[in-house]
Amino acid sequence: MSLLFRKVMDWNDAYANGPNIPGGDRWPAAWVAPAQAYRDTLTASGRAKLDQPYGEAPRQRYDLFLPEGKPKGLVVFVHGGFWRALDKSYWSHLAHGPVVRGF
């Protein structure tokens, strides 16, 4: 049977990236410090709007990181993996590229 049409027998394994990557279990912890440092830097410069609500549930919050000057547009980062185990605070530093380019 083709891998494309292979029946998934274990959905937990199918969506678990870490166990399927050599050393993958180290990554979530490695993202904490850079993400926090990025939030701290942009908060100190007044360019971070953290925990903006878009719903009533506690996790229905987003962080908005603003460039210097007028924004050229908006980049939205939605991460579907680890949604049950992690939260938005792990990914803040990924905004750096778009933000320094004016988004």
Side-chain angles (χ1 to χ4, degrees):
M1 182 182 297
S2 159
L3 290 179
L4 181 62
F5 297 106
R6 182 177 56 154
K7 183 176 180 180
V8 175
M9 302 303 284
D10 182 350
W11 285 103
N12 287 325
D13 182 63
Y15 288 101
N17 293 327
N20 294 301
I21 300 169
D25 57 334
R26 68 186 165 99
W27 289 112
W31 298 324
V32 172
Q36 182 65 56
Y38 190 75
R39 283 193 307 279
D40 292 347
T41 298
L42 266 71
T43 297
S45 68
R47 297 187 297 127
K49 309 293 182 194
L50 304 179
D51 294 317
Q52 301 297 301
Y54 64 87
E56 298 297 321
R59 290 180 56 141
Q60 292 179 336
R61 303 284 184 268
Y62 67 90
D63 293 340
L64 178 64
F65 301 106
L66 300 166
E68 292 182 5
K70 184 179 176 182
K72 294 178 181 178
L74 176 68
V75 173
V76 177
F77 174 77
V78 178
H79 190 273
F82 300 109
W83 67 271
R84 296 173 81 188
L86 306 179
D87 61 48
K88 65 183 177 59
S89 70
Y90 284 80
W91 320 109
S92 303
H93 59 299
L94 299 181
H96 176 76
V99 169
V100 298
R101 287 165 180 81
F103 293 89

